[in-house]
Amino acid sequence: MDQSELEEKARENFETKKSISAEENSYYEAKIETMGLKTLERLIQFHPNPSKLMKKGVTFAHQDLETVVEAIGRNKPWSVICGLNPSGPLHLGHKMIFDELLWLQQQGAEVYIPITNDESYVVGKSPTLADSRRIAYDSVIPSIIAMGFDSKKTHIYVMSDYPEIYNVAMDLSKHTNLNRIFGVFGFGKDEVGENPGTLFYRGAVQLAQILLPQFEEFGGPQATLINVGVDQYPYLLLSRDVARKKGFVPPSAIFTKFLPGLSGTGKMTSSRIKSSIFLTDSLKDAEKKLKKAYTGGSILADFQRENGGVFDICPIYNLRANHFEPEYDLKDRCSSGDLLCGYCKKDAITEVLQYLSEHQAKLEDAKSRIDEYLLKTPIRSIL
Ligand code: SF4
């Protein structure tokens, strides 16, 4: 390719990245509109110290957050629930969600973390129940503890080791019906071959996780909040229905965008090992993955100096801006063309490796403290 062909290619590439960025932004705007959500503008304006992800627009919308704000204002108990599938160790996408949970705990929330090893097994993400259970205790729970949660206000349970939750699911299943579940989740021909456990899971077990803090044993009806992606909206709808029928407070939600995977397509997820930085990755592996990561930059350095990078679709930008505190204004330097991707990745590698070494150094101690965090409360009120 000669120089003019390269420049032409660089321009095409730049335009494509810009249009992907515009599409993504309009996707979330459309979700706010169609799902009837509210932005967090007012909270950010009036809260003395909003979370970093709220300020950056990563946690971008809410439903009925007013109920939680009122509970805080009246000094009443409230809880936040965030389930987690242990099909692999935690990655930086999970860390982002847990950073938000930590902030919510600092605002006074009791934090409930169901580790859904039963779901990992039922939907086929884990070959055996024992496998996902092992991952939960060996890796997932120690990583959560190492992030700094307060053991007095954090309640973790591995689903298959807390059978009480299935009694709660049974109780709640009486307050909905298949018609409503099919309507909310859109079950159709594609689901015919699914494990029937999936249906009970979506229609009852997930509700049990969300509504558990409102049972008598945990203080009775109270404001509850789930922190989810927009794809989890049906669970919010269903849990609000059932809460009303039980005389509970309908749960509220905040919605967070996903952390993009390093390949530039899709989110960071346990099933795409090369596209995700796991909190247990060796420093060498993490460095290798970051060096190969897709960016919002250009194939031509001069073109990037002139036009800047498309930061908002760049996995390196998202990772650095959401997790770390770069010493310079990353958005400004990227979009002005002042910063090129090679230098930016070098700084990203320094930040990520430092975080991973600090996190991994805490894991052994965290493993010895698992018992302090496990929820063991028997639920007698429904028996
Ligand atoms: Fe992404 Fe950094 Fe390149 Fe900007 S300079 S596109 S933030 S890697």
Side-chain angles (χ1 to χ4, degrees), residues 295-297 304 309-311 314 316-317 330 334 339-341 344-345:
T295 72
Q304 189 167 339
V310 187
F311 61 85
C314 175
I316 298 291
Y317 171 80
L330 180 56
C334 171
L339 179 67
L340 295 184
C341 298
C344 186
K345 277 189 173 182

Side-chain angles (χ1 to χ4, degrees), residues 45-46 70 76 85 120 124 183 187 202 221 255 273 298 361 378 381:
Q45 195 181 352
F46 293 110
E70 196 187 322
K76 292 197 163 168
N85 215 304
S120 306
F187 275 97
R202 292 190 193 174
F255 295 89
I273 293 172
S298 174
S381 58

Side-chain angles (χ1 to χ4, degrees), residues 40-50 69:
L40 290 157
E41 216 171 299
R42 273 174 65 77
L43 180 98
I44 295 166
Q45 195 181 352
F46 293 110
H47 196 287
N49 179 28
V69 172

Side-chain angles (χ1 to χ4, degrees), residues 43-55 103 107:
L43 180 98
I44 295 166
Q45 195 181 352
F46 293 110
H47 196 287
N49 179 28
S51 80
K52 182 177 174 180
L53 295 180
M54 288 175 180
K55 284 192 277 187
W103 181 83
Q107 312 311 303

Side-chain angles (χ1 to χ4, degrees), residues 78-340:
W78 62 286
S79 300
V80 57
I81 303 104
C82 183
L84 179 74
N85 215 304
S87 50
L90 296 191
H91 50 66
L92 287 178
H94 291 120
K95 176 186 170 285
M96 212 172 73
I97 301 295
F98 283 110
D99 285 346
E100 197 70 324
L101 282 194
L102 267 173
W103 181 83
L104 291 163
Q105 185 165 78
Q106 285 152 11
Q107 312 311 303
E110 291 286 323
V111 173
Y112 289 80
I113 307 175
I115 311 281
T116 58
N117 71 320
D118 51 353
E119 188 190 21
S120 306
Y121 177 60
V122 167
V123 302
K125 285 187 181 172
S126 184
T128 67
L129 201 53
D131 269 336
S132 53
R133 188 177 174 277
R134 183 182 45 74
I135 295 172
Y137 288 105
D138 286 358
S139 158
V140 172
I141 301 178
S143 270
I144 295 172
I145 295 172
M147 285 179 204
F149 284 91
D150 175 354
S151 63
K152 291 191 183 65
K153 291 180 78 63
T154 308
H155 316 283
I156 303 176
Y157 54 100
V158 176
M159 293 291 287
S160 63
D161 288 345
Y162 188 57
E164 308 279 335
I165 197 76
Y166 300 110
N167 284 341
V168 174
M170 220 185 322
D171 178 62
L172 297 177
S173 71
K174 302 265 292 177
H175 300 279
T176 187
N177 57 51
L178 286 178
N179 197 29
R180 179 61 176 150
I181 295 170
F182 289 162
V184 164
F185 289 103
F187 275 97
K189 272 187 271 165
D190 292 348
E191 282 76 25
V192 169
E194 272 191 15
N195 181 329
T198 316
L199 187 58
F200 182 61
Y201 208 86
R202 292 190 193 174
V205 180
Q206 290 261 15
L207 302 188
Q209 295 160 13
I210 296 172
L211 298 177
L212 182 75
Q214 300 204 51
F215 279 77
E216 201 178 296
E217 289 77 359
F218 305 97
Q222 60 185 280
T224 48
L225 179 70
I226 54 174
N227 179 14
V228 287
V230 280
D231 59 332
Q232 308 260 296
Y233 187 60
Y235 295 110
L236 178 70
L237 284 185
L238 207 53
S239 64
R240 285 175 68 85
D241 278 0
V242 173
R244 284 187 197 99
K245 290 180 185 159
K246 279 285 290 178
F248 288 173
V249 181
S252 311
I254 49 174
F255 295 89
T256 300
K257 296 177 186 171
F258 297 118
L259 184 69
L262 297 178
S263 67
T265 55
K267 60 178 178 176
M268 199 171 274
T269 163
S270 308
S271 57
R272 298 172 69 211
I273 293 172
K274 289 185 183 155
S275 196
S276 305
I277 301 281
F278 292 93
L279 303 191
T280 47
D281 270 347
S282 71
L283 303 192
K284 207 167 142 204
D285 283 350
E287 181 171 355
K288 247 195 251 167
K289 290 180 189 179
L290 288 164
K291 279 184 175 160
K292 285 189 183 157
Y294 174 84
T295 72
S298 174
I299 47 171
L300 286 182
D302 280 346
F303 186 92
Q304 189 167 339
R305 280 191 195 98
E306 205 177 304
N307 297 281
V310 187
F311 61 85
D312 46 2
I313 60 147
C314 175
I316 298 291
Y317 171 80
N318 280 283
L319 188 147
R320 296 191 65 194
N322 296 344
H323 289 285
F324 307 109
E325 301 287 347
E327 285 166 0
Y328 42 82
D329 186 332
L330 180 56
K331 189 189 280 190
D332 187 55
R333 287 197 59 195
C334 171
S335 56
S336 67
D338 179 42
L339 179 67
L340 295 184

